[in-house]
Structures are given as C-alpha cells and as structure tokens.
Amino acid sequence: MARIGFVGLGNMGGPMAANLVKAGHEVKGLDLSDEARARLAEAGGTPVTSIAEMAADAEVIVTMLPAGAHVRKVYGDEDGIFAHAKAGTLLIDSSTIDVDSARAVAEGARAAGMAMVDAPVSGGVGGATAGTLTFMVGGPDEAFEAARPYLDVMGKTIVHAGGPGNGQAAKICNNMLLGISMIGVCEAFVLAERLGLDHQKLYDISSTASGQCWSLTSYCPVPGPLPASPANRDYQPGFAAAMMLKDLKLAQEAASTSGASTPLGAEAAALYNMFCNAGEGGTDFSGIIRFLRGAQEG
Ligand code: NAD
C-alpha cells in the first residue's frame, strides 16, 4: 500500500481520495476548504494544511484542481510540489486544464526528477464516487504503467493517449465533439417539433439511421425515448452546461494556439456561453434545447 498525497478534495477529488483510502492506501489530503478536509477525515484519510506536509513522505501525489492556473501554482510555486516532494515521486494531475499548462508542468516534473502523467477524467461525480471514471492519460510509458494501479482504484477505463498533455488533448477533442453533436441533435428535435414530427418517431428513425450518435441514443435531450436521460428530470445534471462551456473554451484555446480550424467548435462555445449567461450554467448541457427553442422564437 502506498503513501499518497492528494490536493483538491472538491466534488470530484473528495470521493476519488475516499476510494484510495478504501483500497487501503494512506492518504494525506490538502484543500483550501475546511469542509473538504473534514470529509476526508470522515472517510479515513488524514487532512493536512500545507503542501510541505502533504508531500514530505508521499510516494504518489494526485491533484484534482479547478484550472490550469491552480495546477501551475500548486506544482511550480516556490512552496509547491516540485519544491517539497522527493525526487522519484509519481505525480498524477487529474484536473481538466489547458494543454499548454499540462505540458509546462510535465516539463517541470521532468526537470525535478519526478514521473508525471496528466490524467483528466470523464464520468462526473457519480463516476468519482463509484470508482468508475474514465481516465485519458498523457505521459511517458513508464509513468503510465506506474500510475495505472492507482487509476484502476478510482476508475474503470484507463486509456494511454500518448505523451505529456495528450490526456488533456483527448478530453477536449472528445468534449468538443460531444458539445457539437448535442447541439445538432437538439436542433433536429426543434425542427421536428415545428414540422409536426413526433419526438418518439424521430428517435425511432434516427437511432437506427445515419443520424445515430451518443447524444441521441445515450443522452436523448427530449423526455420520453430514454427514461434515464436528464431531459426526464427537468435537465438536472448530469453534466452541467458550465462544465461543457469550460471544455469548449479549452478546445478553442487549443485550436487557436495550434492553428486548427474548428468553426463548429467555436459556434458550440458561443451557444453554450449564451446559455450559461442566461443563468443556465447549472442546468444539464442537454437543456440547451430549451434555449434553441427560445432562440427560434426571438
Ligand atoms: P471543485 O471546485 O468541487 O473542487 C476543486 C477543489 O480544489 C476545491 O475544493 C478547492 O478548494 C480546491 N483548491 C483550489 N485551489 C487549491 C489550492 N491551491 N490548494 C488546495 N486546494 C485547492 O471542482 P470539481 O468539480 O471537483 O472539479 C475538479 C476538476 O475536475 C476540474 O478541473 C473539473 O473541470 C474536472 N472535472 C469535473 C467534473 C465534474 O462533474 N465535477 C467532471 C470531469 C472533470
């Protein structure tokens, strides 16, 4: 069993750290919030209040932070992980952040003699609690193999996407595709409504025709065809629109720095931005169908 340091015990990191404790690891957890640290103590971990304490004897450090700036700071500050962890410590950053920050921090780890992977997740709070997350992992082969046993405790599907930053790249490419396809499916239902075509009829036809996709057949944005989709519970998330917007903005940032042409990704980011600005950031991302109906009426 390993001594694990964990930074960022929020909605996702809290249950992930609890699963590492459950698997028998010794977990020292750090968070700015007293409540988050108290929840770790309840789960059987040891809350700490400084990076020095968290990192001093850690063999593995996992971070689950809001954005790139937090990750750069927690690793790279003069009082950060690189300054306090032992050479040879395995570092796993599971935050969803921009590819450039992920690659810069990975380079810092290499210079400090530490193995590092970026390992963002999909699966949400439900997956974090159940230990069924999907991890998209970027980093050298040896670091991936070293990280796998810990990722196996927190997740079900672990995919090595290539070198440093490629976990983040995989996550934002997938979620850009998801945002675009969800808007496409919503538009098809909105048009069907105007044309007097029943939701269920469109579902039955498109789910076995060339319009088939995950947004339609696993996450249908209208109530009825799939009783488990958020559309059947007034669009409670699920996957909140604000999280989709974060990922679409990261995709646009990456498209701009890499010179990739992603006009539909840009349009999806603009639409989710308007949806969130209308006060719907906490609504499931499939709820954008309500906004598209309204937009047509305007
Ligand atoms: P959250 O805001 O609930 O948790 C982040 C935690 O980090 C907070 O508790 C905060 O206090 C802590 N923190 C921030 N700066 C810190 C610092 N300097 N030192 C110590 N602690 C610090 O966010 P979350 O929902 O748990 O998401 C975490 C990451 O996972 C994000 O990058 C998010 O995009 C990604 N993600 C979230 C979901 C989801 O459904 N919530 C799904 C997939 C990926």
Side-chain angles (χ1 to χ4, degrees):
M1 290 301 117
R3 290 186 303 276
I4 300 179
F6 205 112
V7 188
L9 303 165
N11 292 320
M12 296 293 288
M16 289 163 72
N19 282 332
L20 290 167
V21 173
K22 232 185 271 169
H25 297 294
E26 248 178 69
V27 179
K28 280 189 185 165
L30 172 66
D31 197 289
L32 302 176
S33 136
D34 295 343
E35 293 82 42
R37 292 198 309 277
R39 275 196 300 275
L40 178 69
E42 275 164 37
T46 308
V48 296
T49 50
S50 73
I51 289 183
E53 267 182 287
M54 180 280 305
D57 60 353
E59 297 160 280
V60 182
I61 293 175
V62 184
T63 48
M64 192 53 167
L65 294 161
H70 305 82
V71 172
R72 283 180 186 259
K73 177 172 171 349
V74 162
Y75 281 94
D77 253 18
E78 57 185 26
D79 209 21
I81 290 171
F82 295 148
H84 287 290
K86 299 185 300 271
T89 306
L90 171 64
L91 309 174
I92 301 173
D93 178 40
S94 281
S95 328
T96 300
I97 65 170
D98 58 288
V99 175
D100 287 349
S101 290
R103 290 187 173 149
V105 174
E107 179 49 32
R110 201 195 53 74
M114 300 175 198
M116 179 158 198
V117 292
D118 51 291
V121 303
S122 70
V125 176
T129 305
T132 56
L133 293 169
T134 293
F135 284 92
M136 292 148 271
V137 188
D141 290 349
E142 321 76 69
F144 173 72
E145 289 309 329
R148 194 203 287 268
Y150 307 102
L151 302 180
D152 274 337
V153 169
M154 299 182 282
K156 197 168 81 175
T157 307
I158 321 295
V159 188
H160 191 191
N166 277 22
Q168 301 295 349
K171 163 123 191 175
I172 57 172
C173 290
N174 181 71
N175 281 12
M176 183 182 79
L177 178 55
L178 174 61
I180 293 169
S181 76
M182 180 53 78
I183 291 167
V185 169
C186 289
E187 287 190 1
F189 277 111
V190 169
L191 179 60
E193 287 164 7
R194 295 290 168 121
L195 299 177
L197 173 63
D198 189 55
H199 286 164
Q200 187 67 47
K201 291 282 179 216
L202 176 62
Y203 180 86
D204 290 346
I205 293 161
S206 287
S207 62
T208 56
S210 47
Q212 192 279 331
C213 66
W214 188 93
S215 294
L216 178 67
T217 54
S218 293
Y219 214 89
C220 190
V222 295
L226 285 183
S229 76
N232 298 280
R233 42 174 209 270
D234 201 26
Y235 300 98
Q236 284 168 40
F239 184 48
M243 306 286 294
M244 173 52 84
L245 178 59
K246 173 186 174 182
D247 294 351
L248 288 168
K249 283 182 173 169
L250 288 173
Q252 284 311 291
E253 231 178 281
S256 150
T257 53
S258 67
S261 167
T262 56
L264 289 180
E267 190 59 32
L271 286 169
Y272 274 102
N273 202 17
M274 287 191 264
F275 186 52
C276 290
N277 281 341
E280 300 276 13
T283 302
D284 187 77
F285 82 113
S286 61
I288 198 163
I289 190 166
R290 299 199 293 211
F291 178 76
L292 294 168
R293 280 191 194 108
Q296 285 205 344
E297 271 149 23

